[in-house]
């Protein structure tokens, strides 16, 4: 029987090994993606339109679509999520409606994204006749992101010190004034960090968008900025393949001779964007926190 | 300037409306999927036995063959395999971060886990197809597209879930049980094994269930590497199929209301039910826990 | 301080209102007649329309539609034509439901849709395409009989040595059942026999099949001639001694071919009409031949289903 001293050392070594292996795995994955992809990335690749059957296409419209869908989704889910978060942390009493809300949030959060995608296909693409479009994609992403945003808002608000709240009420502010001018303001660092982090997830989403925003995009004409014009990049009813979907599509349709390079380059761009989102969320959170608390 | 009392009321009702909206959205999605999911049995007349226990799947044939056993078995197989690969590493990593590391290691591992989560699933699928599948084909055998490839890709994807939730659970253990055990002369490793881990067991089990739920629901990364052959997952190196991948491949080619469309909704409904069951399991596991604090 | 939150709320209502407005315009803007002025070109195709249309479906037809669309958009800068794949089944299902403007298909609608689902679909046959058995270049077999094909695809023959090749296991690569290529191959090469289930890798599209076959030793699959003949990474196999060439199809000797259909829901209008007119016009004929398809009028045999 190994002495407990030795088993202690062996155990510690094993755990360090596990941590090391996981770190090495991550470094290898990211290293591989960047190594394969960075040689493909240049200004042309990042701005040109995809060429469907020739080599030399780019991912410009896809990047734009990813960003546009992200912004629109956030515009919808941040207010809604905040609303529910405020309700749950400030107004709700333990009861049937509150329990129902929590169950709904958990259910929505655990739904596979492909299921939300086909629901979007049925409702927005076919029944509403919006077709494969920006707006169908935004609706699907909203359903996906809403539970995340709600949890975020609720946690951020709950983390605000109750003293602040009580002080504000003691000074005669109404509950709503307290919420908007004191609690939410204090919750901003946590909110911003969480929003930017969840933006990274939305940016990389593909399964929900495959059958809502579509697997194709038209070349974008930035001289026409009118959202109601067919030609504009802001036209909400145009098909809008995003970067993540493009990686899947390029591999699945296999028409491009340089599909491998495109997928590598697009993966690298995606990973870099996620890295940027992660870093920015940390810095923004820290900066805002230090501004609020003067530390 | 809006009257302050009025804005108070508006605020209250607006947020209440948001809450109702989320209930409505969720219930709408669940009810519609349930309705469409049951259509194959109620409207199209496929028997339960036929659907769950037969393996021939050909909606185009006359009469349409609706055996979904291969997909269900495939999803179960690839998820359990992924769990087998990643649970030891995930829990080990959690123990490392919560019990063994001294601070600077945690500062490194925390972003590592966050980055793992951040990598989009298509990228995992792409690396799977460009690196893992050829590797398996050339060094292990088979076509490369296989249950093994799916299991490995999923294992990497669910690792951060297991690690982060287990870590939180271990760190939530009250410090005195550790101090007490060490004071009695128990070594650190024995303390971890016999005191800390059992105390955090609800959280660790929760992490495993969450990881399983994620594995069941993953669509694109899995579809890219498993080969999509409609057969039972009998061999580690042979191509197979899952519920999510058949939905991904066939959904756009079917018309709403047709039999071949209904069967895909039934699979989606099963996925939904599985995630609901997992939520219930998690709630059950954690019911005693909150009382303890 | 939270005017920015009200600003957010305002933005939200604008987005919602805009989308509701647009949903009303949705069905209109895709099928409403274009404001055509006087710029109708001499070939009868209207290059002045503006609009945003989506075509989806057959991956066998996709290269032709993509390239024709590119040419069309060069003549008409206000046109935006997006072309998706997904297979003939997708093309038919989505056009039947009205979620795309054009459904590309290797099959007649009746082959995949019920009469109820196919109501209102208008068929435009833009060309003809042949299909062939393809194998990995290192397979030494050049010809397969119908019976051999049947036995391979039903799993009764599993090694190339049984059909005159080297000792190499046969790896079948097939398409989903929604594929038009697969359905045509089943009808005319396998004599209607259903492929055995579960013995093959499934690939989503013609392009993916071409890549998979070229990279998998001992593999066999089926592919449109437009892919196989221009692609020297796969090897074509004759059927019953007849080589898979466009000439043999035109003369009627080689049976694995089908019309390439572009379906619209009702008679096409506006942007859709302009593009379909272009596809059916003589302007596209050189492109058809260059890409390996067959111009419909040169066929000496025909089919109605």
């Amino acid at each position: 029987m190994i002495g407990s001293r030795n088993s202690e050392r062996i155990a510690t070594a094993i755990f360090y090994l596990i941590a090391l292996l996981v770190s090495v795995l991550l470094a290898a994955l990211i290293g591989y993606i960047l190594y394969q992809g960075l040689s493909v990335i240049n200004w042309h690749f990042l701005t040109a339109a995809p060429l469907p059957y020739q080599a030399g296409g780019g991912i410009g419209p896809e990047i734009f679509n990813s960003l546009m869908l992200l912004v629109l989704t956030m515009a919808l889910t941040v207010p809604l999520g905040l609303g529910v978060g405020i309700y749950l942390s400030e107004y709700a009493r333990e009861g049937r409606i509150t329990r129902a809300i929590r169950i709904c949030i958990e259910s929505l959060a655990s739904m596979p994204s492909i299921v939300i995608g086909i629901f979007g296909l049925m409702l927005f693409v076919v029944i509403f006749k919006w077709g494969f479009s920006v707006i169908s994609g935004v609706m699907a992403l909203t359903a996906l992101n809403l539970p995340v945003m709600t949890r975020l808002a609720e946690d951020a608000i709950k983390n605000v010190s109750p003293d602040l709240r009580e002080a504000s009420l003691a000074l005669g502010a109404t509950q709503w004034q307290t919420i908007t001018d004191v609690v939410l303001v204090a919750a901003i660092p946590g909110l911003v960090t969480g929003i930017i982090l969840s933006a990274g997830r939305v940016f990389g989403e593909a399964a929900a968008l495959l059958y809502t925003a579509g697997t194709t995009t038209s070349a974008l004409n930035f001289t026409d900025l009118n959202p109601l014009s067919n030609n504009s990049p802001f036209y909400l009813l145009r098909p809008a393949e995003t970067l993540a979907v493009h990686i899947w599509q390029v591999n699945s349709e296999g028409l491009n001779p340089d599909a491998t390079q495109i997928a590598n380059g697009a993966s690298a761009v995606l990973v870099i964007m996620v890295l940027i989102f992660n870093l920015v969320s940390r810095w923004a959170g820290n900066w805002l926190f230090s501004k609020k608390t003067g530390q | 300037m809006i009257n302050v009392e009025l804005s108070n009321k508006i605020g209250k009702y607006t947020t209440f409306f948001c809450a109702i909206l989320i209930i409505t959205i969720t219930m709408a999605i669940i009810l519609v999927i349930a309705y469409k999911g049951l259509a194959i049995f109620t409207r199209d007349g496929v028997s339960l036995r036929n659907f769950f226990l037969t393996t021939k799947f050909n909606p185009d044939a006359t009469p349409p063959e609706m055996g979904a056993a291969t997909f269900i078995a495939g999803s179960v197989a690839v998820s359990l395999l992924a769990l087998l690969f990643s649970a030891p590493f995930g829990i080990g990593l959690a123990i490392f971060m919560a019990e063994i590391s001294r601070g600077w290691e945690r500062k490194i591992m925390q972003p590592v886990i966050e980055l793992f989560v951040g990598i989009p699933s298509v990228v995992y699928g792409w690396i799977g197809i460009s690196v893992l599948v050829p590797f398996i084909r050339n060094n292990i055998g088979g076509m490369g597209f296989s249950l093994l490839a799916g299991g490995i890709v999923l294992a990497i994807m669910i690792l951060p879930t297991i690690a982060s939730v287990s870590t939180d659970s271990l760190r939530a253990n009250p410090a005195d049980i550790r101090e007490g055990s060490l004071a009695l002369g128990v070594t650190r490793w024995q303390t971890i094994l016999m005191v800390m881990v059992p105390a955090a067991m609800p959280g660790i089990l929760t992490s495993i269930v969450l990881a399983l739920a994620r594995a069941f629901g993953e669509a694109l990364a899995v579809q890219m590497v498993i080969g999509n052959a409609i057969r039972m997952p009998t061999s580690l190196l042979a191509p197979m199929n899952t519920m999510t991948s058949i939905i991904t491949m066939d959904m756009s080619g079917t018309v709403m209301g047709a039999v071949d469309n209904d069967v895909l909704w039934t699979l989606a409904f099963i996925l939904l039910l599985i995630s609901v069951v997992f939520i219930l399991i998690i709630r059950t596991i954690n019911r005693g826990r909150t009382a303890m604090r | 301080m939270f005017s920015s939150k009200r600003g957010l709320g305002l933005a939200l209502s604008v987005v919602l209102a805009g989308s509701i407005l647009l949903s009303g315009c949705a069905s209109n803007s895709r099928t409403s007649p274009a404001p055509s002025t006087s710029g109708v070109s001499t070939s009868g195709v209207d290059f002045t329309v503006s609009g945003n249309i989506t075509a989806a479906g057959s991956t066998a037809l996709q290269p032709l539609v993509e390239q024709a669309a590119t040419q069309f958009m060069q003549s008409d800068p206000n046109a935006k034509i997006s072309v998706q794949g997904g297979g003939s089944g997708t093309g038919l299902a989505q056009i039947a439901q009205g979620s795309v403007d054009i459904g590309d298909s290797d099959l007649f609608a009746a082959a995949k849709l019920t009469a109820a689902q196919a109501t209102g679909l208008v068929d435009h046959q833009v060309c003809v395409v042949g299909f062939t058995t393809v194998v990995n270049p290192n397979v030494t077999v050049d010809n397969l009989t119908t019976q051999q094909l049947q036995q391979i695809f039903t799993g009764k023959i599993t090694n190339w040595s049984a059909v005159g090749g080297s000792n190499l296991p046969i790896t079948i690569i097939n398409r989903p059942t929604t594929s038009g290529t697969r359905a045509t191959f089943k009808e005319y090469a396998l004599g209607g026999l259903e492929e055995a289930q579960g013995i093959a890798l499934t690939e989503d599209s013609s392009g993916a099949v071409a890549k998979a076959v070229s990279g998998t030793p001992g593999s066999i699959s089926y592919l449109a001639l437009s892919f196989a003949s221009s692609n020297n990474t796969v090897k074509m196999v004759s059927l019953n001694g007849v080589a898979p060439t466009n000439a043999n199809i035109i003369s009627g000797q080689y049976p694995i071919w089908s019309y390439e259909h572009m379906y619209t829901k009702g008679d096409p209008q506006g942007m859709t009409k302009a593009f379909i007119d272009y596809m059916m016009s003589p302007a596209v004929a050189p492109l058809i031949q260059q890409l390996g398809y067959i111009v419909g009028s040169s066929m000496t045999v025909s089919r109605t289903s």
Side-chain angles (χ1 to χ4, degrees):
Chain A
M1 159 87 189
I2 306 180
S4 50
R5 258 276 153 92
N6 275 336
S7 67
E8 177 72 27
R9 288 209 190 100
I10 294 175
T12 308
I14 291 181
F15 286 118
Y16 268 94
L17 191 63
I18 289 179
L20 187 68
L21 278 174
V22 172
S23 311
V24 165
L25 181 63
L26 180 79
L29 281 173
I30 295 194
Y32 175 80
I33 297 170
L34 291 180
Y35 171 69
Q36 295 281 67
L38 282 178
S39 52
V40 179
I41 297 180
N42 51 43
W43 184 248
H44 170 85
F45 183 71
L46 290 176
T47 52
L51 292 176
Y53 43 87
Q54 299 162 322
I59 52 172
E62 280 80 10
I63 296 181
F64 178 78
N65 287 335
S66 289
L67 289 171
M68 182 173 159
L69 256 61
L70 174 66
V71 167
L72 288 175
T73 304
M74 286 300 167
L76 279 180
T77 54
V78 168
L80 272 176
L82 269 178
V84 185
I86 292 174
Y87 179 79
L88 282 176
S89 49
E90 298 285 326
Y91 291 111
R93 264 150 300 180
E94 277 314 305
R96 291 193 14 218
I97 294 195
T98 310
R99 258 214 313 266
I101 299 174
R102 290 199 190 284
I103 293 183
C104 284
I105 296 176
E106 278 181 47
S107 312
L108 205 50
S110 62
M111 253 183 237
S113 46
I114 187 76
V115 172
I116 294 189
I118 62 175
F119 183 82
L121 170 70
M122 177 195 73
L123 186 62
F124 305 118
V125 176
V126 176
I127 294 184
F128 284 6
K129 292 222 178 317
W130 290 348
F132 297 112
S133 57
V134 170
I135 191 72
S136 303
V138 168
M139 290 296 140
L141 284 179
T142 301
L144 208 58
N145 200 35
L146 202 51
V148 176
M149 198 55 63
T150 308
R151 282 216 192 111
L152 211 76
E154 200 191 343
D155 284 345
I157 292 175
K158 282 218 166 102
N159 277 336
V160 171
S161 152
D163 304 342
L164 277 174
R165 202 175 280 120
E166 288 171 14
S168 166
L169 290 171
L171 287 172
T174 64
Q175 193 175 19
W176 183 245
Q177 276 175 330
T178 305
I179 293 172
T180 56
D181 293 337
V182 177
V183 174
L184 279 183
V185 170
I188 282 184
L191 276 176
V192 166
T193 306
I195 290 177
I196 300 182
L197 265 178
S198 74
R201 198 201 144 192
V202 171
F203 193 79
E205 179 59 43
L209 293 178
L210 203 58
Y211 295 129
T212 48
T215 57
T216 177
T217 181
S218 33
L220 299 177
N221 172 18
F222 282 100
T223 58
D224 183 350
L225 295 179
N226 174 13
L228 294 177
S229 143
N230 282 348
N231 264 327
S232 156
F234 297 105
Y235 182 52
L236 291 178
L237 288 169
R238 64 174 182 86
E241 181 188 51
T242 60
L243 200 54
V245 175
H246 191 59
I247 296 178
W248 185 86
Q249 179 260 349
V250 132
N251 188 62
S252 151
E253 278 179 17
L255 285 176
N256 299 80
D258 59 345
T260 307
Q261 283 92 309
I262 295 179
N264 282 333
S267 299
V269 171
L270 258 182
V271 167
I272 292 175
M273 288 302 293
V274 168
L275 281 170
I276 292 178
F277 276 120
N278 269 14
L279 285 173
V280 168
S281 78
R282 269 177 200 277
W283 286 338
N286 288 342
W287 181 73
L288 283 167
F289 186 72
S290 65
K291 263 191 75 179
K292 293 287 156 230
T293 57
Q295 286 166 356
Chain B
M1 157 91 185
I2 300 181
N3 180 293
V4 160
E5 266 312 306
L6 186 61
S7 77
N8 201 29
K9 275 215 160 55
I10 293 179
K12 183 168 183 185
Y13 288 122
T14 314
T15 56
F16 182 67
F17 168 73
C18 293
I20 296 294
L21 192 63
I22 214 178
I23 296 183
T24 316
I25 294 177
T26 313
M27 293 313 296
I29 296 181
I30 294 181
L31 287 174
V32 167
I33 295 181
Y35 174 70
K36 289 193 81 67
L38 292 173
I40 192 116
F41 304 119
T42 57
R43 191 173 26 154
D44 303 316
V46 176
S47 74
L48 281 169
R49 189 182 170 282
N50 217 331
F51 182 80
F52 283 104
L53 296 179
T54 56
T55 58
K56 281 212 148 298
F57 182 76
N58 190 352
D60 272 350
T62 38
E65 293 168 325
M66 288 293 163
T70 57
F71 310 119
I72 301 176
S75 285
V76 171
V78 82
S79 304
L80 287 181
L81 188 65
L83 197 63
L84 194 69
F85 287 151
S86 88
F89 285 93
I91 299 178
L93 192 58
I95 294 178
F96 176 79
M97 298 222 308
E99 298 290 324
I100 298 187
S101 72
R102 268 158 305 194
W104 64 266
E105 296 101 332
R106 196 182 306 146
K107 283 217 183 75
I108 295 183
M109 295 313 293
Q110 187 64 32
V112 164
I113 293 184
E114 275 173 24
L115 280 176
F116 260 114
V117 177
I119 297 181
S121 43
V122 243
V123 174
Y124 280 121
W126 168 243
I127 298 182
I129 240 191
S130 53
V131 175
L132 188 61
V133 165
F135 179 82
I136 294 179
R137 177 168 53 216
N138 297 334
N139 298 11
I140 306 183
M143 292 188 241
F145 294 100
S146 55
L147 174 59
L148 183 63
I152 294 178
V153 169
L154 267 186
I156 300 179
M157 290 175 72
I158 65 176
L159 177 69
T161 307
I162 300 181
S164 59
V165 177
S166 295
T167 306
D168 288 344
S169 178
L170 279 167
R171 293 189 38 200
N173 275 339
D176 34 334
I177 61 176
R178 184 192 304 122
E179 308 298 335
S181 170
L182 292 173
L184 287 172
V186 184
T187 67
R188 186 171 72 169
W189 166 230
Q190 286 171 332
T191 304
I192 293 175
L193 191 60
M194 293 185 291
V195 177
M196 306 307 287
V197 166
M201 196 48 83
I204 295 180
L205 285 177
T206 302
S207 78
I208 290 186
V209 174
L210 282 174
L212 261 183
R214 172 113 202 255
F216 265 99
E218 179 53 44
L220 293 187
V222 165
Q223 188 260 346
M224 289 167 95
V225 299
I226 55 173
N228 303 301
I230 304 180
R231 53 187 297 279
M232 292 296 274
T234 48
S235 152
L236 214 52
L237 294 177
M240 34 86 73
N241 216 326
T242 62
M243 292 188 275
T244 49
S245 61
I246 191 72
I247 293 177
T248 307
M249 293 195 82
D250 277 8
M251 195 53 165
S252 61
T254 60
V255 180
M256 297 285 156
V259 183
D260 48 357
N261 182 275
D262 286 340
V263 70
L264 297 175
W265 282 102
T266 311
L267 289 174
F269 182 46
I270 294 179
L271 284 170
L272 198 65
L273 284 176
I274 290 178
S275 55
V276 167
V277 164
F278 281 148
I279 293 179
L280 290 176
I281 294 180
I282 291 177
R283 280 177 165 246
T284 315
I285 295 176
N286 284 307
R287 217 170 19 201
R289 195 124 201 265
T290 44
M292 214 171 84
R293 301 219 204 128
Chain C
M1 207 260 155
F2 259 75
S3 52
S4 51
K5 184 163 186 290
R6 281 190 215 119
L8 264 175
L10 195 58
L12 167 62
S13 354
V14 167
V15 169
L16 275 178
S19 62
I20 295 176
L21 267 176
L22 283 165
S23 68
C25 301
S27 26
N28 292 341
S29 64
R30 278 216 306 267
T31 56
S32 64
S36 60
T37 52
S38 58
V40 180
S41 72
T42 47
S43 65
V45 182
D46 185 357
F47 284 114
T48 62
V49 291
S50 74
N52 212 317
I53 61 169
T54 307
S58 161
T59 56
L61 184 56
Q62 195 178 355
L64 179 64
V65 182
E66 297 262 27
Q67 303 212 33
T70 307
Q71 288 182 339
F72 187 93
M73 289 192 281
Q74 278 165 353
S75 305
D76 182 355
N78 287 328
K80 295 265 184 288
I81 306 172
S82 310
V83 185
Q84 291 188 157
S88 305
T90 298
L92 288 172
Q94 298 310 317
I95 190 66
Q97 295 173 124
S99 36
V100 295
D101 299 287
I102 300 176
D104 305 329
S105 170
D106 308 328
L107 305 170
F108 283 88
K112 284 271 179 205
L113 300 175
T114 65
Q117 292 164 345
T119 43
L121 289 185
V122 176
D123 186 7
H124 311 272
Q125 295 172 3
V126 297
C127 66
V128 169
V129 72
F131 298 93
T132 174
T133 313
V134 290
V135 296
N136 183 273
N138 66 13
V139 171
T140 50
V141 174
D142 294 311
N143 178 56
L144 288 168
T145 65
T146 304
Q147 194 195 30
Q148 287 172 324
L149 276 177
Q150 286 176 336
Q151 290 182 314
I152 291 177
F153 279 92
T154 52
K156 300 209 179 69
I157 296 182
T158 55
N159 195 303
W160 285 110
S161 52
V163 288
S166 47
N167 182 6
L168 187 60
I170 300 181
T171 303
I172 305 179
I173 297 177
N174 70 6
R175 299 281 306 281
T177 48
T178 50
S179 158
T181 306
R182 173 172 169 157
T184 309
F185 190 77
K186 167 183 160 186
E187 176 86 30
Y188 297 109
L190 298 180
L193 207 57
E194 190 63 53
E195 284 183 48
Q197 176 182 286
I199 54 176
L201 274 183
T202 310
E203 295 287 350
D204 293 323
S205 67
S206 307
V209 164
K211 265 176 39 181
V213 169
S214 69
T216 312
S219 55
I220 183 173
S221 186
Y222 33 84
L223 202 55
L225 273 180
S226 50
F227 275 89
S229 53
S230 59
N231 191 339
N232 33 17
T233 58
V234 299
K235 173 175 165 179
M236 300 191 285
V237 169
S238 306
L239 175 68
N240 295 326
V242 181
T245 62
N246 282 343
N248 283 344
I249 293 177
I250 292 175
S251 65
Q253 285 183 298
Y254 186 78
I256 323 179
W257 59 269
S258 72
Y259 295 106
E260 292 286 44
H261 309 256
M262 290 175 78
Y263 279 100
T264 53
K265 190 105 177 159
D267 282 317
Q269 291 169 331
M271 181 76 238
T272 312
K273 178 177 194 316
F275 186 54
I276 299 253
D277 287 343
Y278 180 68
M279 290 297 296
M280 307 281 286
S281 76
V284 173
L287 191 61
I288 291 178
Q289 289 181 318
Q290 178 198 338
L291 290 177
Y293 301 87
I294 301 171
V295 178
S297 51
S298 50
M299 292 292 290
T300 60
V301 288
S302 68
R303 291 183 187 142
T304 50
S305 69

